[in-house]
Amino acid sequence: MTSGAAPAASAPRTPGTGSADGRTARRPLALRLLTRPETGVFLGALAVFVFFLIAAPAVRQGGSMATVLYQSSTIGIMALPVALLMIGGEFDLSAGVAVVTSALTASMLCYQLTLNVWTGVIAALLVSLSVGAFNGWLLVRTGLPSFLVTLGTFLILQGANLAVTKLVTGNVATDDIGDMDGFGQARAVFASSFGIGGVQVKITVVWWLVFAALATWVLLRTKYGNWVFAVGGDRDSARAAGVPVTFTKISLFMLVGFGAWFAGMHQLFSFRTVQSGEGVGQELVYIAAAVIGGCLLTGGQGSAVGPVFGAFMFGMVNQGIVYAGWNPDWFKAFLGAMLLGAVLVNLYVRRTAARR
């Protein structure tokens, strides 16, 4: 005698449909791709690339594309740490002039004291990291918005760059350091070129891609990456969950300082001298490249891949306008249009994904 009825046979599931109530259903691949912050900028970069291939035939040449990549890399190297900082919920208005501060420090120190240029390089790194640490420390200590903190730093550095340079050199530019000890070695690291198929490619393109790969690994595969997203999404909840908010914020500002140091060294060893008034306005370019790449000003969302495509769009438009023979004054108008377009696309994608 049986003690009970046999269990009813369950209906077979269609692979990929998930549970019946839909709460654990796996979303379609296309929808999951749309929710990625870098999808929109990839499509935008592809469209801009195709457009200038048609409008400016000179872009199709290897040398022209190498120039586009070089322009993109000089923006992208700084856009990456700026993007990480924005994912962490902050932004840095001093990033542009900090690049010049780094270059001025290395140039004047090694020239005025007749030191090996590597001494100036190391000193500039310490100064750049200190500026980033100061920004982060003041922000977490006072609770002031990063806009106010870094705006103050921007003004301080802008004035100091010009005043100190005039005081030390008697001019608005530093002296030529091309004949100093160690210059050739430093130039090989920060500003050299190498040939590929008869085309000269700047070393900054390689560094740009290496930094992007490293930043992607940090964000997606390390505990620190989780901390960055957590403090950008909700700082109080992150602190309650045991995330070291103070360390994460300060270290993100120091990463921006590191990027400013590297970009400054490239500028110095490319041109051998530095104009003290440069860098103003570049911070907006870095922030725009990160926003176009899918980073939110409110924090908590973004990637390291998106700003790579964002920087490429900048480089493509900048050089594409020249190769097409158009008035270069239109460059800023193109950038503004790309920025607004990227923001609207990201907003549409997020709302569409949330509805589905």
Side-chain angles (χ1 to χ4, degrees), residues 109-334:
L109 183 65
C110 65
Y111 185 88
Q112 302 302 325
L113 300 180
T114 61
L115 301 173
N116 188 290
V117 297
W118 284 106
T119 304
V121 169
I122 295 173
L125 174 60
L126 296 177
V127 169
S128 296
L129 293 178
S130 298
V131 171
F134 173 77
N135 283 336
W137 173 83
L138 190 59
L139 180 136
V140 299
R141 185 72 175 177
T142 64
L144 290 171
S146 55
F147 173 85
L148 293 178
V149 172
T150 59
L151 177 60
T153 309
F154 163 79
L155 295 174
I156 292 172
L157 294 180
Q158 182 185 11
N161 287 348
L162 185 59
V164 173
T165 304
K166 283 185 175 181
L167 179 65
V168 173
T169 68
N171 202 343
V172 295
T174 61
D175 297 288
D176 191 328
I177 63 168
D179 58 350
M180 300 195 68
D181 292 340
F183 180 86
Q185 295 174 338
R187 183 182 177 88
V189 174
F190 297 105
S192 61
S193 302
F194 59 94
I196 297 181
V199 176
Q200 291 296 309
V201 179
K202 288 286 188 178
I203 193 66
T204 51
V205 176
V206 176
W207 284 118
W208 174 39
L209 298 179
V210 169
F211 290 154
L214 181 60
T216 300
W217 176 79
V218 168
L219 282 179
L220 301 181
R221 292 291 184 265
T222 68
K223 184 184 297 185
Y224 182 80
N226 292 333
W227 294 349
V228 172
F229 282 107
V231 299
D234 191 325
R235 179 174 56 185
D236 295 332
S237 297
R239 181 177 283 111
V243 174
V245 175
T246 298
F247 167 79
T248 304
K249 293 279 188 180
I250 294 177
S251 62
L252 286 172
F253 276 102
M254 292 179 71
L255 280 177
V256 176
F258 175 83
W261 166 75
F262 195 96
M265 294 306 96
H266 167 70
Q267 181 176 334
L268 173 61
F269 293 110
S270 292
F271 304 107
R272 304 184 179 189
T273 183
V274 185
Q275 295 288 332
S276 59
E278 293 182 349
V280 178
Q282 282 298 108
E283 65 282 345
L284 300 180
V285 174
Y286 305 143
I287 292 173
V291 172
I292 291 174
C295 297
L296 298 181
L297 290 175
T298 53
Q301 177 176 315
S303 68
V305 176
V308 171
F309 293 123
F312 175 77
M313 288 178 69
F314 273 50
M316 189 75 249
V317 171
N318 190 12
Q319 293 300 312
I321 289 176
V322 175
Y323 291 136
W326 301 340
N327 188 341
D329 293 337
W330 285 103
F331 174 62
K332 295 295 184 180
F334 269 89

Side-chain angles (χ1 to χ4, degrees), residues 81-104:
V82 168
L84 295 182
L85 180 64
M86 291 179 63
I87 295 173
E90 311 293 345
F91 57 94
D92 191 344
L93 292 178
S94 66
V97 292
V99 173
V100 180
T101 300
S102 174
L104 290 172

Side-chain angles (χ1 to χ4, degrees), residues 296 341-353 355:
L296 298 181
V343 172
L344 293 175
V345 168
N346 288 336
L347 179 63
Y348 171 77
V349 166
R350 289 199 306 274
R351 289 181 175 177
T352 301
R355 287 197 300 267

